[in-house]
Amino acid sequence: MKVLASNRKARHEYFIDEVYEAGIVLTGTEIKSIRQGRVSIKEAYGKIINGEVIILGMNVSPYEQGNRFNVDPLRPRKLLLHKREINKLIGHLKVGGVTLVPLRIYLNDRGKAKMEIAVARGKKLYDKRESIAKRDADRKMQRAMTKR
């Protein structure tokens, strides 16, 4: 499994409740560009429109040799999930206060592009400070253990 793009800020900005693996509907030049690692999911988010999960804000740079076959880099892309998974996501999103956040894009062993999306709740500023303090304390403990 080759990770092509990851959203590191997602775990800092959000509490992750559930993680799903989804396929992505792409054109030929888009998958070639993604295989070169020219994709960004930092500002991407998911929405459910007409019973389909759509990823918005994902930037796939145009393929250099794609000429007229290249498409808009920021176009909405459909994610492929089972119907029961989509229904669970609809239930989570109806509760409110949650969003769909992409965590990473990777190629599986068969060469297919997959995306991990998460149902996430936003963190407050004090939650972020708490997680930073916890991470620093863990780091100090690890340093103390290695010095022994």
Side-chain angles (χ1 to χ4, degrees):
M1 183 167 57
K2 180 182 175 188
V3 177
L4 302 168
S6 63
N7 190 355
R8 292 192 215 150
K9 280 188 116 178
R11 295 196 187 271
H12 177 70
E13 300 280 330
Y14 301 99
F15 292 113
I16 305 299
D17 291 339
E18 281 190 55
V19 177
Y20 295 93
E21 179 186 56
I24 313 169
V25 176
L26 299 168
T27 63
T29 55
E30 285 178 323
I31 188 64
K32 289 178 181 184
S33 183
I34 286 176
R35 284 190 176 132
Q36 290 178 346
R38 300 184 59 188
V39 60
S40 173
I41 57 172
K42 288 180 182 170
E43 291 141 15
Y45 62 97
K47 244 184 180 175
I48 297 180
I49 302 170
N50 297 330
E52 296 178 338
V53 181
I54 307 292
I55 194 79
L56 303 166
M58 183 171 99
N59 188 355
V60 178
S61 299
Y63 185 58
E64 291 171 2
Q65 288 84 27
N67 57 38
R68 68 174 189 220
F69 297 109
N70 283 328
V71 292
D72 180 28
L74 293 173
R75 77 175 180 92
R77 292 168 180 89
K78 182 178 170 183
L79 296 182
L80 303 172
L81 290 163
H82 291 284
K83 192 67 176 175
R84 66 179 180 276
E85 292 175 331
I86 294 172
N87 290 336
K88 281 177 81 174
L89 288 175
I90 290 171
H92 283 296
L93 295 178
K94 278 187 180 176
V95 171
V98 295
T99 186
L100 290 177
V101 179
L103 297 178
R104 63 187 181 144
I105 295 178
Y106 58 92
L107 293 175
N108 69 358
D109 54 349
R110 297 175 69 192
K112 306 286 185 193
K114 301 286 182 177
M115 176 182 279
E116 268 189 5
I117 58 169
V119 176
R121 290 178 287 117
K123 283 185 182 180
K124 302 285 187 208
L125 184 59
Y126 56 85
D127 291 328
K128 293 177 191 177
R129 286 183 187 145
E130 185 179 303
S131 62
I132 290 170
K134 183 178 182 295
R135 189 172 59 229
D136 289 343
D138 290 343
R139 199 174 295 137
K140 285 180 183 177
M141 286 189 344
Q142 287 295 328
R143 282 191 197 131
M145 294 298 285
T146 56
K147 286 181 181 178
R148 286 186 177 192

